[in-house]
Amino acid sequence: MTINLQKDLLCFSHLRWDFVFQRPQHLMTRFAQITNVYFLEEPVFDCPGGPCLQLEEKQPGLFVCVPHLPAGSSDEEATDMIRTILESFFATRDCSNFIFWYYTPMALQFSTTFAPAMTVYDCMDELSGFKFAPARIKHLEQQLLERADLVFTGGASLYEAKKSSHHNIHPFPSSIDKMHFGAARKLLAEPEDQAAIAGIKLGFCGVIDERFDQELVREIALRRPDWQIVLIGPVVKIDPADLPQAANIHYMGPRSYQLLPSYLSGWDVALIPFLLNDSTRFISPTKTPEYLAAGKPVVSSAIRDVVSPYGEMGLVSIGRNTETFIASIESELAKSADPAWLLAVDEFLSDKSWEHTFSAMVRLMLAIREKKDPVVLASGLKNAS
């Protein structure tokens, strides 16, 4: 990408940079190659004195910004303090030289007084359906949709639900880093903790939260004690004590993005054991194409954006209840590595990449900029902040 946005970018995120490497990280690391990116996380309430903003440069041009606020601050006080922090941030920077990129409508509470050059809403999930969602989030999202110049959605079903809410909205389902996950197709050395697990391995990597079908996993482990279920990822918003426990269920905890291919390489089947509820109604799991890029057969719950297109194309097996989920796993184990299936996977994934998604998003952003302020495009150089 040689085109310069000629604007810096401030990203408002509800996810922390170092939590799980997913859509925001994939896109922001690429934006940092053509402009300066400031990734603003939600506040940490640990400051003994006045509020402050901590900036850490994660890579050239990409700064993670964390507001530190006094412990015990109310929501209203926190909003006022973050607004003041942003005012200080823009005291030495020209806000009109910034693109505001929102992942959470809640950030609108402290950012409405600023006038950026462009506002983008990357609606990767229906956050109002998630556990502990703030009561005001739907109202704030409506305001954000009114202010946004451009809206992206994290999948086809989410696009269908919101397409009438904005005049310039585009679906961008989950993409992949094919080279990264493709390494799992080689016989990589498994990490020691997974190598110590003998037998057929069924794997899941991702956040274990209210979307995770605990009963399904419990039943699989109970009915097929010879199958080893490997679960990689942090446990959030649910009590770890409630999770199913068995000798063949292995909670590995979070693992770095860099190590994931070495774990996936040792799996026989990859799983997406999600509940069908408000929190999964519109999701487009990034792990679906990542598993496929790794060359792993996939069995998933009947998530709409997995059923279509993956299930309909025969790339992923769909389990609609415990019995059919187990039967699908057995079928995938019997197939082993089907060359025809792998060929179909690679054909489907041929135009699916974060580079492709990023480039398409930038083209849409440049089209808006041209309408607002026609300029001659510069190439190669990054704007200074």
mmCIF file of all heavy atoms in Angstrom, residues 156-174:
data_model
loop_
_atom_site.group_PDB
_atom_site.id
_atom_site.type_symbol
_atom_site.label_atom_id
_atom_site.label_comp_id
_atom_site.label_asym_id
_atom_site.label_seq_id
_atom_site.Cartn_x
_atom_site.Cartn_y
_atom_site.Cartn_z
ATOM 1 N N ALA A 156 -21.902 -10.813 7.166
ATOM 2 C CA ALA A 156 -23.052 -10.617 6.282
ATOM 3 C C ALA A 156 -24.354 -10.440 7.057
ATOM 4 O O ALA A 156 -25.176 -9.589 6.708
ATOM 5 C CB ALA A 156 -23.167 -11.811 5.328
ATOM 6 N N SER A 157 -24.563 -11.229 8.104
ATOM 7 C CA SER A 157 -25.821 -11.119 8.847
ATOM 8 C C SER A 157 -25.908 -9.791 9.590
ATOM 9 O O SER A 157 -26.986 -9.195 9.691
ATOM 10 C CB SER A 157 -25.966 -12.285 9.822
ATOM 11 O OG SER A 157 -24.912 -12.322 10.757
ATOM 12 N N LEU A 158 -24.787 -9.306 10.090
ATOM 13 C CA LEU A 158 -24.776 -8.007 10.759
ATOM 14 C C LEU A 158 -25.046 -6.890 9.747
ATOM 15 O O LEU A 158 -25.742 -5.916 10.050
ATOM 16 C CB LEU A 158 -23.429 -7.794 11.454
ATOM 17 C CG LEU A 158 -23.332 -6.666 12.472
ATOM 18 C CD1 LEU A 158 -24.394 -6.780 13.553
ATOM 19 C CD2 LEU A 158 -21.937 -6.641 13.109
ATOM 20 N N TYR A 159 -24.523 -7.045 8.541
ATOM 21 C CA TYR A 159 -24.799 -6.082 7.473
ATOM 22 C C TYR A 159 -26.288 -6.057 7.137
ATOM 23 O O TYR A 159 -26.887 -4.973 7.005
ATOM 24 C CB TYR A 159 -23.986 -6.438 6.236
ATOM 25 C CG TYR A 159 -24.382 -5.658 5.002
ATOM 26 C CD1 TYR A 159 -24.002 -4.333 4.852
ATOM 27 C CD2 TYR A 159 -25.158 -6.249 4.008
ATOM 28 C CE1 TYR A 159 -24.381 -3.603 3.719
ATOM 29 C CE2 TYR A 159 -25.539 -5.537 2.881
ATOM 30 C CZ TYR A 159 -25.155 -4.223 2.746
ATOM 31 O OH TYR A 159 -25.533 -3.509 1.640
ATOM 32 N N GLU A 160 -26.901 -7.232 7.024
ATOM 33 C CA GLU A 160 -28.322 -7.295 6.704
ATOM 34 C C GLU A 160 -29.153 -6.610 7.784
ATOM 35 O O GLU A 160 -30.162 -5.962 7.488
ATOM 36 C CB GLU A 160 -28.759 -8.755 6.546
ATOM 37 C CG GLU A 160 -28.236 -9.426 5.288
ATOM 38 C CD GLU A 160 -28.720 -8.745 4.021
ATOM 39 O OE1 GLU A 160 -29.882 -8.303 3.996
ATOM 40 O OE2 GLU A 160 -27.931 -8.662 3.052
ATOM 41 N N ALA A 161 -28.723 -6.736 9.045
ATOM 42 C CA ALA A 161 -29.471 -6.144 10.152
ATOM 43 C C ALA A 161 -29.336 -4.631 10.201
ATOM 44 O O ALA A 161 -30.221 -3.936 10.701
ATOM 45 C CB ALA A 161 -29.003 -6.745 11.476
ATOM 46 N N LYS A 162 -28.225 -4.094 9.661
ATOM 47 C CA LYS A 162 -27.951 -2.660 9.823
ATOM 48 C C LYS A 162 -27.916 -1.887 8.508
ATOM 49 O O LYS A 162 -27.732 -0.666 8.524
ATOM 50 C CB LYS A 162 -26.608 -2.470 10.552
ATOM 51 C CG LYS A 162 -26.638 -2.994 11.988
ATOM 52 C CD LYS A 162 -25.389 -2.596 12.757
ATOM 53 C CE LYS A 162 -25.404 -3.162 14.160
ATOM 54 N NZ LYS A 162 -26.457 -2.561 15.006
ATOM 55 N N LYS A 163 -28.095 -2.543 7.384
ATOM 56 C CA LYS A 163 -27.892 -1.878 6.098
ATOM 57 C C LYS A 163 -28.829 -0.704 5.867
ATOM 58 O O LYS A 163 -28.487 0.227 5.124
ATOM 59 C CB LYS A 163 -27.997 -2.876 4.954
ATOM 60 C CG LYS A 163 -29.373 -3.496 4.787
ATOM 61 C CD LYS A 163 -29.361 -4.507 3.634
ATOM 62 C CE LYS A 163 -30.727 -5.128 3.425
ATOM 63 N NZ LYS A 163 -30.707 -6.135 2.324
ATOM 64 N N SER A 164 -29.992 -0.720 6.511
ATOM 65 C CA SER A 164 -30.928 0.389 6.330
ATOM 66 C C SER A 164 -30.633 1.547 7.286
ATOM 67 O O SER A 164 -31.294 2.587 7.217
ATOM 68 C CB SER A 164 -32.368 -0.088 6.549
ATOM 69 O OG SER A 164 -32.543 -0.565 7.874
ATOM 70 N N SER A 165 -29.616 1.382 8.153
ATOM 71 C CA SER A 165 -29.314 2.398 9.165
ATOM 72 C C SER A 165 -28.300 3.430 8.691
ATOM 73 O O SER A 165 -28.057 4.414 9.386
ATOM 74 C CB SER A 165 -28.781 1.719 10.446
ATOM 75 O OG SER A 165 -29.717 0.809 10.963
ATOM 76 N N HIS A 166 -27.686 3.180 7.527
ATOM 77 C CA HIS A 166 -26.665 4.120 7.056
ATOM 78 C C HIS A 166 -26.587 4.086 5.539
ATOM 79 O O HIS A 166 -26.815 3.042 4.908
ATOM 80 C CB HIS A 166 -25.297 3.768 7.664
ATOM 81 C CG HIS A 166 -24.305 4.872 7.593
ATOM 82 N ND1 HIS A 166 -23.464 5.069 6.517
ATOM 83 C CD2 HIS A 166 -24.011 5.864 8.471
ATOM 84 C CE1 HIS A 166 -22.701 6.132 6.741
ATOM 85 N NE2 HIS A 166 -23.013 6.623 7.920
ATOM 86 N N HIS A 167 -26.237 5.225 4.953
ATOM 87 C CA HIS A 167 -26.211 5.340 3.491
ATOM 88 C C HIS A 167 -24.931 4.789 2.877
ATOM 89 O O HIS A 167 -24.860 4.560 1.666
ATOM 90 C CB HIS A 167 -26.354 6.813 3.085
ATOM 91 C CG HIS A 167 -25.183 7.656 3.495
ATOM 92 N ND1 HIS A 167 -25.021 8.103 4.792
ATOM 93 C CD2 HIS A 167 -24.113 8.123 2.790
ATOM 94 C CE1 HIS A 167 -23.909 8.822 4.871
ATOM 95 N NE2 HIS A 167 -23.345 8.835 3.677
ATOM 96 N N ASN A 168 -23.886 4.584 3.711
ATOM 97 C CA ASN A 168 -22.586 4.147 3.178
ATOM 98 C C ASN A 168 -22.041 3.038 4.073
ATOM 99 O O ASN A 168 -21.069 3.207 4.788
ATOM 100 C CB ASN A 168 -21.624 5.335 3.140
ATOM 101 C CG ASN A 168 -20.403 5.057 2.280
ATOM 102 O OD1 ASN A 168 -20.297 4.022 1.629
ATOM 103 N ND2 ASN A 168 -19.459 5.996 2.285
ATOM 104 N N ILE A 169 -22.687 1.870 4.012
ATOM 105 C CA ILE A 169 -22.345 0.748 4.881
ATOM 106 C C ILE A 169 -21.924 -0.444 4.030
ATOM 107 O O ILE A 169 -22.511 -0.702 2.977
ATOM 108 C CB ILE A 169 -23.532 0.395 5.808
ATOM 109 C CG1 ILE A 169 -23.166 -0.725 6.780
ATOM 110 C CG2 ILE A 169 -24.777 0.045 5.022
ATOM 111 C CD1 ILE A 169 -24.201 -0.939 7.878
ATOM 112 N N HIS A 170 -20.889 -1.156 4.484
ATOM 113 C CA HIS A 170 -20.295 -2.225 3.681
ATOM 114 C C HIS A 170 -19.944 -3.422 4.559
ATOM 115 O O HIS A 170 -19.358 -3.247 5.633
ATOM 116 C CB HIS A 170 -19.034 -1.728 2.978
ATOM 117 C CG HIS A 170 -19.244 -0.496 2.163
ATOM 118 N ND1 HIS A 170 -19.556 -0.521 0.826
ATOM 119 C CD2 HIS A 170 -19.210 0.818 2.528
ATOM 120 C CE1 HIS A 170 -19.698 0.724 0.385
ATOM 121 N NE2 HIS A 170 -19.503 1.557 1.394
ATOM 122 N N PRO A 171 -20.273 -4.643 4.115
ATOM 123 C CA PRO A 171 -19.912 -5.831 4.897
ATOM 124 C C PRO A 171 -18.468 -6.254 4.659
ATOM 125 O O PRO A 171 -18.018 -6.333 3.515
ATOM 126 C CB PRO A 171 -20.884 -6.901 4.371
ATOM 127 C CG PRO A 171 -21.156 -6.494 2.954
ATOM 128 C CD PRO A 171 -21.073 -4.985 2.919
ATOM 129 N N PHE A 172 -17.743 -6.502 5.729
ATOM 130 C CA PHE A 172 -16.381 -7.026 5.647
ATOM 131 C C PHE A 172 -16.247 -8.181 6.635
ATOM 132 O O PHE A 172 -15.854 -7.987 7.786
ATOM 133 C CB PHE A 172 -15.344 -5.937 5.947
ATOM 134 C CG PHE A 172 -15.092 -5.028 4.787
ATOM 135 C CD1 PHE A 172 -15.717 -3.789 4.713
ATOM 136 C CD2 PHE A 172 -14.251 -5.402 3.756
ATOM 137 C CE1 PHE A 172 -15.501 -2.945 3.640
ATOM 138 C CE2 PHE A 172 -14.024 -4.568 2.665
ATOM 139 C CZ PHE A 172 -14.655 -3.328 2.610
ATOM 140 N N PRO A 173 -16.594 -9.403 6.201
ATOM 141 C CA PRO A 173 -16.470 -10.555 7.096
ATOM 142 C C PRO A 173 -15.020 -10.797 7.508
ATOM 143 O O PRO A 173 -14.092 -10.202 6.956
ATOM 144 C CB PRO A 173 -17.000 -11.717 6.242
ATOM 145 C CG PRO A 173 -17.820 -11.074 5.174
ATOM 146 C CD PRO A 173 -17.161 -9.752 4.904
ATOM 147 N N SER A 174 -14.863 -11.688 8.468
ATOM 148 C CA SER A 174 -13.544 -11.996 9.001
ATOM 149 C C SER A 174 -12.583 -12.417 7.900
ATOM 150 O O SER A 174 -12.949 -13.134 6.967
ATOM 151 C CB SER A 174 -13.650 -13.119 10.029
ATOM 152 O OG SER A 174 -14.485 -12.746 11.092
#
